[in-house]
Amino acid sequence: MTTPNPKALTAQDLPKLLEDDNRVKLAGLDVDGILRGKVVSKKKFLSVAESGFGFCSVIFGWDMHDKTYMRELGISNAENGYRDMLAIPDLSTFRRIPWESNIPFFLVSFFDPETKKPVCACPRGLLQTQLDRIHSKGYGAMAGAEYEFYTFKTPDESKSPATFLQQNPHDKLPSLTEGMFGYSLNRPVHNKDYYYEVFDSCADFACGIEGWHTESGPGVFEAALEFDEAAEMADRASLFKYVVKSVGTQHGIIPCFMAKPKQGLPGNSGHVHMSLVDKESGKNLLARDTPDENAQWKDIAHLSDLGRHFLAGILVGLPDIMPLFAPTINSYKRLVENFWAPVTVSWGFEHRAASIRILSPPTSKPAATRFEVRVPGADTNPHFVMAAILGCGWRGVEKKLEIPCPPLAMGQDVGGDADMGERLAKSLKEATERFMRKDSIAREVFGDDFVDHFGGTRENEVRLFDEAVTDWEMKRYIETV
């Protein structure tokens, strides 16, 4: 049976579409970008495809290990009985899971059961709210995502590292391959079944990979996902991680999207590319029709006025939205000087050390003009990252903001004497305090409800870490203090 275009699917198409199925898998995203879902019968799915169904709000009331937050937050708590939210399937997200007997799959979005408005912390809803703002002006957003991740293998028969790590130090978990060898043609051959199954499964699961290679580091891979409309791109980015982990399970391979799994080695980035387009014609609106010979800096000679304001908005907002770009304690281990990760409010044409890299003519076609935001790690929630880029960038357009600092010149590194940009937060605690402060740009862009909820979840992470006793402390102090 030929799969119909999911963008055109209606509830009336579903009985025919699912005539040979008896079950459907549904999933939504929590604030950590983790898919939470269930399998339902076809009969159940057909009955809720338009109206939605109850889904326990506790997924916004606990952390990534299902521990309720120390300070209960507004969406889900004991006082409201961890009540159900309304989960409505998005029929445009239909695909089949090739490694699970082609079971039908749909993403859902979460709504308040009383107001029917998006739950403030729903990642898909938050991004859609930002997109609605630019859509109302006749604009659209295109995006791409690149993810690096380490891969490990368990030295026993276990399919999961959890049991092994309960009995062994984490540094005993061996890497899939050893040594540093980016863009190697030979390394993937050692695990070619996994390597090519990831690529092919992504294609079959409608989250296609544009480029797929080894990155510098033991067992490190990088994938560049195919460019698409921003909401679709965010979905695909989340589903890419699902593919990598699911396929890995079948091969005894454990992918790791932590920002910094290994001390002394580069971390895992999650760069996002973004451009604005005319919603009707598809014309790139960041590109200038003719170069500006009188541009303040040559780096922006090919950027439109709208593009300059959008860039300014991201740069000005960056310090206030850092928990969305670096959401865990570990995220800030990656964001240190001299490890190929940006640590300041910085930008530049084709500058891979800056927080924002401009891609435009003369090295790119005008239609490919875009911003590569290089601060986020692979541990981020892609919907939140894209919502933050759009929200801050559009704020720059609306307020006609000016670029706050000069570009980094080629050969200049972030944090050096020539870097005039503000140093970004060095810890999740610092970042969250700024994110949640009363006059935060995050509150202006996303509203108090989201900032209070997501900020509260990050405060929980900080509190847990403050109470933790680490391996480093034990090794350093157990015999000397």
Side-chain angles (χ1 to χ4, degrees), residues 149-196:
F149 61 97
Y150 280 66
T151 49
F152 300 94
K153 54 187 176 184
T154 48
D156 54 26
E157 297 303 316
S158 173
K159 292 286 189 180
S160 167
T163 302
F164 177 82
L165 291 176
Q166 286 176 352
Q167 307 297 328
N168 299 276
H170 65 87
D171 57 1
K172 296 298 182 184
L173 193 65
S175 298
L176 188 63
T177 57
E178 294 300 331
M180 313 286 281
F181 205 154
Y183 300 100
S184 171
L185 295 185
N186 294 325
R187 289 295 174 91
V189 176
H190 294 282
N191 301 278
K192 63 180 183 298
D193 291 343
Y194 171 72
Y195 184 72
Y196 288 112

Side-chain angles (χ1 to χ4, degrees), residues 17-270:
L17 178 68
L18 306 176
E19 62 181 346
D20 296 324
D21 301 288
N22 61 8
R23 59 187 184 270
V24 177
K25 181 169 280 192
L26 303 170
L29 290 151
D30 67 13
V31 296
D32 293 298
I34 298 171
L35 287 166
R36 304 275 189 171
K38 63 175 77 175
V39 172
V40 301
S41 69
K42 179 172 69 173
K43 180 180 179 181
K44 171 71 173 179
F45 176 71
L46 293 176
S47 72
V48 302
E50 288 185 290
S51 59
F53 61 99
F55 199 115
C56 184
S57 65
V58 75
I59 67 167
F60 293 115
W62 63 22
D63 67 11
M64 63 182 71
H65 292 286
D66 293 7
K67 299 289 187 183
T68 53
Y69 298 123
M70 295 178 182
R71 176 171 65 85
E72 290 196 318
L73 304 172
I75 296 174
S76 182
N77 50 58
E79 186 176 346
N80 68 21
Y82 301 99
R83 68 174 186 167
D84 275 359
M85 305 173 290
L86 184 63
I88 299 180
D90 182 345
L91 300 187
S92 72
T93 65
F94 167 71
R95 61 249 292 153
R96 292 182 179 273
I97 306 177
W99 60 91
E100 292 186 29
S101 303
N102 281 324
I103 184 174
F105 176 90
F106 295 86
L107 286 169
V108 305
S109 294
F110 299 112
F111 298 83
D112 185 285
E114 296 178 358
T115 67
K116 303 300 187 293
K117 293 181 179 179
V119 169
C120 70
C122 174
R124 300 186 80 239
L126 189 78
L127 175 55
Q128 191 59 53
T129 298
Q130 298 304 317
L131 285 168
D132 288 345
R133 294 172 63 195
I134 68 167
H135 289 168
S136 68
K137 303 297 182 180
Y139 301 155
M142 301 294 292
E146 303 170 359
Y147 287 106
E148 298 168 348
F149 61 97
Y150 280 66
T151 49
F152 300 94
K153 54 187 176 184
T154 48
D156 54 26
E157 297 303 316
S158 173
K159 292 286 189 180
S160 167
T163 302
F164 177 82
L165 291 176
Q166 286 176 352
Q167 307 297 328
N168 299 276
H170 65 87
D171 57 1
K172 296 298 182 184
L173 193 65
S175 298
L176 188 63
T177 57
E178 294 300 331
M180 313 286 281
F181 205 154
Y183 300 100
S184 171
L185 295 185
N186 294 325
R187 289 295 174 91
V189 176
H190 294 282
N191 301 278
K192 63 180 183 298
D193 291 343
Y194 171 72
Y195 184 72
Y196 288 112
E197 190 174 340
V198 167
F199 188 93
D200 293 341
S201 295
C202 282
D204 292 341
F205 198 48
C207 56
I209 295 174
E210 187 174 86
W212 179 223
H213 60 88
T214 65
E215 185 51 275
S216 186
V220 182
F221 292 104
E222 179 175 6
L225 305 184
E226 292 178 353
F227 211 61
D228 209 320
E229 191 276 326
E232 177 69 19
M233 186 72 256
D235 287 346
R236 291 183 178 191
S238 296
L239 295 175
F240 167 73
K241 294 183 180 181
Y242 178 48
V243 174
V244 168
K245 293 177 181 179
S246 297
V247 173
T249 297
Q250 300 171 64
H251 294 271
I253 292 172
I254 301 101
C256 177
F257 288 87
M258 279 177 64
K260 186 82 165 186
K262 290 279 191 177
Q263 181 179 343
L265 292 173
N268 288 326
S269 68

